[in-house]
């Protein structure tokens, strides 16, 4: 694994001079940070993440996880979260990479594999990196130095990476992502409903029906997947959307109503609690910063 990691570091240094880089490989990002950071709130898309150098902490709901080059992180559903780099310097910068999880590709790869017992409904987890998995990642990232091979070889290697993830996942979570009848997939349908209608009053009965569960069972499995309640999830989505809107429209009161808040003062309190500044001051700061992606890097 040491040789694979060194090779990955060499490629990452050359292709990621600083910050977050969208590579020539679809859905593959590199991230370089030269100092520890404060927690950055955002929404994390379904992805597989590996740290090549440094370490990071991610807080999702009431859970905090740490990962470094010996481990990998998987987010299997869209999750409001806050991540911070905890080990980085100019001499040894944090270097990480992420690969979005293609559900269709995963489903096709699972067709010939036996179904594993489900150990948990986690929408995210950290696990130990194996030599086989790191070798597959290295072969994918090496394509950045051979762009003429990407169209043919990248889908094959991504399929291999998903296979290695399934083999190293003792909880069966990866398989749940692709199986339409799994509890995690049913929770994902409820998550999609919340995200699509975040500004509307939350109907637990509707969400439970979409998930095909009783109210009590839905609450339990939603919390297991996201580390938060449906109401907490909706609130996080509302505040994330409000932040995006405030960059364009500075009126905090009208923004509060647009994302579903009846009380502007409650909106301001909850916004400041999540982002560290009141809405107007945070929006002013963000207008001078580069535009943020829809999903943020872990």
């Amino acid at each position: 694994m040491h040789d694979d990691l060194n090779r990955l570091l060499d490629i990452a240094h050359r292709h990621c001079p600083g910050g977050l880089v969208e590579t020539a490989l679809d859905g593959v990002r590199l991230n370089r940070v030269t100092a520890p950071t404060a927690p950055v709130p955002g929404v994390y898309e379904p992805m597989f993440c590996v740290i090549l150098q440094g370490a990071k902490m991610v807080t999702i709901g009431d859970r905090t996880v740490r990962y470094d080059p010996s481990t990998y992180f998987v987010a299997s559903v869209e999750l409001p979260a806050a991540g911070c780099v905890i080990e980085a310097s100019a001499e040894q910068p944090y270097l990480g990479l992420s690969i979005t999880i293609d559900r269709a590709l995963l489903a096709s790869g699972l067709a010939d594999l036996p179904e594993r017992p489900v150990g948990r409904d986690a929408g995210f987890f950290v696990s130990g990196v194996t030599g086989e998995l790191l070798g597959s990642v290295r072969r994918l990232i090496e394509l950045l130095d051979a762009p003429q091979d990407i169209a043919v070889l990248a889908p094959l290697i991504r399929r291999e990476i998903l296979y290695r993830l399934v083999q190293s996942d003792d909880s069966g979570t990866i398989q749940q992502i692709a199986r339409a009848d799994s509890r995690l997939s049913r929770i994902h349908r409820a998550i999609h409903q919340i995200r699509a209608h975040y500004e509307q009053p939350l109907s637990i009965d509707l969400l439970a029906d979409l998930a095909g569960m009783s109210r009590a069972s839905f609450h339990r499995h939603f919390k297991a997947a996201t580390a938060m309640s449906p109401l907490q999830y909706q609130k996080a989505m509302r505040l994330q959307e409000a932040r995006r809107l405030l960059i364009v429209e500075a009126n905090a009161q009208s923004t509060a109503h647009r994302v579903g808040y009846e009380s502007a003062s409650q909106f301001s309190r909850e916004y400041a609690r999540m982002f560290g500044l009141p809405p107007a001051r945070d929006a002013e700061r963000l207008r001078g910063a580069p535009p943020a992606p829809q999903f943020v890097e872990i």
Side-chain angles (χ1 to χ4, degrees):
M1 288 206 306
H2 185 70
D3 290 342
D4 286 331
L5 188 59
N6 283 339
R7 175 66 174 146
L8 281 163
L9 278 167
D10 174 63
I11 298 170
H13 277 295
R14 288 188 284 105
H15 288 273
C16 185
L20 182 62
V21 173
E22 297 276 356
T23 72
L25 292 159
D26 185 39
V28 177
R29 305 182 186 98
L30 294 169
N31 196 20
R32 181 190 186 102
V33 179
T34 57
T37 66
V40 178
V43 179
Y44 296 160
E45 64 183 319
M47 62 171 70
F48 155 62
C49 307
V50 175
I51 290 179
L52 309 178
Q53 187 168 268
K56 202 159 193 178
M57 290 184 67
V58 176
T59 298
I60 300 172
D62 59 7
R63 288 184 55 196
T64 298
V65 296
R66 179 191 188 276
Y67 70 115
D68 56 36
S70 69
T71 53
Y72 66 89
F73 180 97
V74 167
S76 59
V77 294
E78 294 85 353
L79 293 165
C84 61
V85 173
I86 57 175
E87 290 181 15
S89 66
E91 296 76 23
Q92 289 192 305
Y94 166 89
L95 283 164
L97 68 88
S98 67
I99 304 171
T100 56
I101 295 177
D102 185 322
R103 291 175 182 270
L105 187 62
L106 178 58
S108 68
L110 291 178
D112 298 323
L113 293 177
E115 189 169 354
R116 292 194 170 199
V118 176
R120 58 177 180 259
D121 296 327
F124 61 98
F125 66 91
V126 170
S127 188
V129 171
T130 65
E132 293 81 6
L133 178 58
L134 197 63
S136 300
V137 173
R138 172 186 55 76
R139 285 188 288 278
L140 180 66
I141 302 306
E142 282 178 334
L143 293 178
L144 293 176
D145 290 333
Q148 71 279 4
D149 296 334
I150 288 177
V152 174
L153 296 182
L156 302 176
I157 303 174
R158 288 179 69 116
R159 187 183 179 104
E160 178 188 346
I161 289 171
L162 291 172
Y163 170 78
R164 296 299 182 190
L165 284 172
V166 170
Q167 294 302 307
S168 64
D169 172 24
D170 60 4
S171 70
T173 297
I174 300 294
Q175 289 199 25
Q176 282 203 72
I177 299 173
R179 300 196 186 281
D181 60 344
S182 72
R183 288 196 299 263
L184 195 56
S185 289
R186 287 185 280 155
I187 291 298
H188 184 262
R189 291 200 291 269
I191 286 174
H192 178 76
Q193 174 71 16
I194 295 173
R195 288 177 57 79
H197 305 284
Y198 62 86
E199 78 287 358
Q200 298 178 10
L202 196 68
S203 170
I204 297 300
D205 288 334
L206 172 61
L207 297 175
D209 284 344
L210 285 172
M213 301 175 183
S214 68
R215 286 175 61 99
S217 179
F218 171 71
H219 269 287
R220 184 170 67 255
H221 292 301
F222 192 97
K223 180 67 180 290
T226 65
M228 62 191 81
S229 70
L231 188 60
Q232 289 170 325
Y233 189 101
Q234 182 198 46
K235 181 171 74 173
M237 288 298 102
R238 285 179 168 181
L239 293 172
Q240 291 288 351
E241 178 63 12
R243 198 182 205 199
R244 188 187 69 80
L245 292 172
L246 280 166
I247 298 175
V248 180
E249 179 184 342
N251 190 315
Q253 184 167 356
S254 65
T255 298
H257 291 305
R258 285 181 63 183
V259 300
Y261 277 86
E262 295 183 359
S263 166
S265 60
Q266 180 186 2
F267 166 71
S268 294
R269 287 194 304 272
E270 293 183 352
Y271 188 101
R273 192 177 302 126
M274 174 172 281
F275 298 115
L277 287 172
R281 287 176 56 195
D282 187 49
E284 183 179 356
R285 179 180 63 84
L286 289 172
R287 288 189 197 102
Q294 178 184 5
F295 292 102
V296 294
E297 186 70 13
I298 292 183

